């Protein structure tokens, strides 16, 4: 099936007489005929037994997302941050090191540089535009993974996925890619060498600002038996001596994440949240081209505006990352634009406060147009040096173009510019 069809039909196939629409299984527990049946599920979780691990509604959404990304399995979480955290904790322990692009989402930088550091896990950041040799120099014998974003939030730098995959695989470790802004409609990182994909499903996948969630998708392609990950090839004493590569083969990574991390942390989404997410997924393939079309017109308008210092939108032929956008995103670049308004922070704030149609909110990738000032909002926890490393200028505004008529969106921008 093509993506448009997968968005509607993957994950849930009703049998004769069953509901056409994926139902909400609003239950924490499941009944079984025997103790032996439940005991067997604790050895090998082949069906739901408790909704901290799995739920039929969530399971259907996981299968749909895995199919869209081309993976062997997926696990939904209660937030994008939880997905990012679990994707890393599934591979590391105290004393290990990871390397990460310096332009990733500010919350991810804080998670890696501050919170994981408290647990004795080191994160070394690299310039995503550095050469393979320069990035490889950051690797250590205890490095367990490489992390990047398809489209950096909010710098909109396009990740050279193949380059990072070469570095990671040369050192026998996996590449994890945050594919939130691109979605599998614009980019499928597994096709370019990524091993694990994460999403904040709160963004384009949901699209309607209805649920907070995340997901981890396993490509099933990484060789966990290469000697660098003994926790996959040796018995897990916390789970009856299970050897993940032996019991679950290509799905070893995602099953281990569920059996260990979801069991212990319990950051699983509610069935109703998954139902709402599925409604967004059903129209994802229809919405993404419209976001891209609207954003291109808005970016062209901003690029021609004398009150704008610069525009970052990889869909523009003039953007320095346009060729990477062509390679990985089909020349498109989602509905998010970053631009720097002349006059710095004060002018940016005045402009944003003057908007009438666009909402000033802590959100992005919605059906409604919204704006945010990264330096003073989402990334305010970063130092000035970290802000610059992320590509964030004091006058930068992140504009997330929605599905309103593009003429109305540009008219709103025009009236706000007239007030600064």
């Amino acid at each position: 099936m093509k993506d448009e069809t997968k968005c509607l039909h993957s994950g849930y196939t009703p049998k004769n007489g069953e509901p056409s629409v994926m139902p909400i299984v609003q239950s924490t527990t499941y009944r079984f005929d025997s103790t032996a049946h439940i005991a067997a599920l604790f050895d090998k979780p082949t069906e739901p037994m408790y909704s901290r691990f799995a739920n039929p509604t969530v399971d259907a959404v996981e299968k749909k997302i895995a199919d869209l990304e081309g993976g062997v399995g997926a696990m939904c979480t209660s937030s994008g941050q939880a997905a990012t955290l679990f994707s890393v904790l599934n591979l590391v322990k105290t004393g290990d090191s990871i390397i990460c692009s310096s332009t990733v989402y500010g919350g991810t930088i804080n998670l890696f540089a501050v919170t994981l550091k408290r647990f004795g896990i080191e994160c070394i950041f690299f310039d995503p535009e550095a050469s393979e040799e320069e990035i490889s120099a950051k690797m250590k014998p205890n490095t367990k993974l490489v992390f990047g974003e398809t489209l950096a939030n909010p710098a909109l730098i396009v990740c050279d996925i193949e380059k990072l995959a070469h570095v990671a695989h040369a050192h026998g470790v996996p590449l994890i890619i945050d594919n939130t802004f691109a979605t599998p409609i614009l980019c499928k990182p597994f096709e370019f060498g990524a091993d694990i994909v994460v999403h904040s499903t709160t963004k384009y996948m949901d699209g309607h600002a209805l649920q907070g969630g995340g997901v981890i998708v396993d490509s099933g392609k990484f060789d966990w038996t290469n000697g660098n990950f003994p926790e996959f090839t040796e018995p897990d004493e916390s789970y009856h001596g299970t050897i993940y590569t032996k019991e679950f083969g290509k799905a070893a990574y995602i099953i281990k994440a569920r059996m260990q991390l979801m069991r212990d942390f319990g950051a699983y989404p509610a069935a109703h949240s998954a139902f709402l997410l599925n409604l967004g997924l059903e129209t994802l393939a229809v919405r993404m081209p419209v976001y891209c079309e609207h954003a291109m017109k808005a970016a062209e308008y901003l690029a021609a505006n004398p009150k704008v210092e610069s525009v970052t939108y990889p869909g523009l032929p003039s953007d320095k990352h346009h060729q990477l956008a062509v390679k990985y995103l089909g020349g498109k670049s989602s509905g998010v634009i970053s631009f720097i308004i002349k006059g710095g922070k004060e002018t940016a704030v005045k402009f944003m406060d003057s908007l009438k149609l666009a909402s000033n909110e802590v959100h992005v990738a919605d059906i409604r147009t919204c704006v945010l000032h990264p330096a003073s909002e989402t990334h305010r926890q970063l130092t000035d040096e970290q802000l610059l490393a992320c590509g964030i200028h004091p006058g930068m505004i992140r504009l997330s173009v929605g599905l309103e008529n593009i003429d109305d969106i540009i008219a709103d921008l025009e009236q706000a510019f007239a007030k600064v």
Side-chain angles (χ1 to χ4, degrees), residues 249-267:
K250 292 182 178 181
Y253 173 91
I254 202 67
I255 297 295
K256 178 177 176 292
R258 190 181 300 274
M259 292 171 70
Q260 286 185 342
L261 298 173
M262 193 58 76
R263 173 197 66 194
D264 293 346
F265 290 96

Side-chain angles (χ1 to χ4, degrees), residues 76 91 194:
C76 284
L91 301 172

Side-chain angles (χ1 to χ4, degrees), residues 43-233:
D43 287 332
K44 197 165 187 176
T46 55
E47 57 186 305
M49 57 178 168
Y50 189 60
S51 284
R52 191 173 81 237
F53 308 107
N55 169 280
T57 305
V58 184
D59 178 70
V61 174
E62 290 169 341
K63 286 182 170 63
K64 177 174 289 188
I65 295 173
D67 196 16
L68 284 167
E69 284 286 12
V72 296
M75 182 178 76
C76 284
T77 61
S78 57
S79 70
Q81 283 291 85
T84 298
L85 175 64
F86 285 7
S87 74
V88 172
L89 289 185
N90 205 32
L91 301 172
V92 301
K93 62 183 182 303
T94 299
D96 284 338
S97 180
I98 66 176
I99 72 168
C100 176
S101 168
S102 62
T103 60
V104 296
Y105 168 57
T108 302
I109 290 176
N110 196 60
L111 172 64
F112 289 175
V114 179
T115 303
L116 288 186
K117 184 179 180 181
R118 292 173 180 155
F119 293 91
I121 299 164
E122 175 189 48
C123 181
I124 299 172
F125 293 96
F126 62 86
D127 182 344
E129 299 184 77
S131 67
E132 284 190 31
E133 294 73 21
E134 290 170 321
I135 298 172
S136 185
K138 305 279 187 179
M139 304 289 285
K140 295 182 175 182
N142 63 339
T143 300
K144 294 297 183 180
L145 63 95
V146 179
F147 191 98
E149 274 182 339
T150 308
L151 274 169
N153 175 14
L156 296 182
I157 292 173
V158 181
C159 178
D160 192 339
I161 300 172
E162 284 189 344
K163 179 178 72 175
L164 297 190
H166 290 158
V167 172
H169 297 160
H171 292 268
V173 301
L175 171 62
I176 302 177
I177 290 292
D178 184 333
N179 199 34
T180 297
F181 273 10
T183 80
I185 304 304
L186 297 183
C187 179
K188 299 182 189 298
F190 294 155
E191 296 179 357
F192 300 100
D195 302 290
I196 308 296
V197 160
V198 297
H199 289 268
S200 169
T201 61
T202 317
K203 310 306 189 298
Y204 282 122
M205 284 189 168
D206 173 292
H208 298 73
L210 294 176
Q211 61 82 46
V215 69
I216 308 170
V217 188
D218 181 2
S219 70
K221 296 178 180 179
F222 190 80
D223 179 13
W224 303 109
T225 66
N226 66 5
N228 290 331
F229 300 93
E231 59 271 30
F232 284 84
T233 57

Side-chain angles (χ1 to χ4, degrees), residues 27-41:
S27 180
T28 61
T29 48
Y30 309 88
R31 294 188 180 184
F32 299 93
D33 292 334
S34 69
T35 303
H37 191 154
I38 299 176
L41 292 178

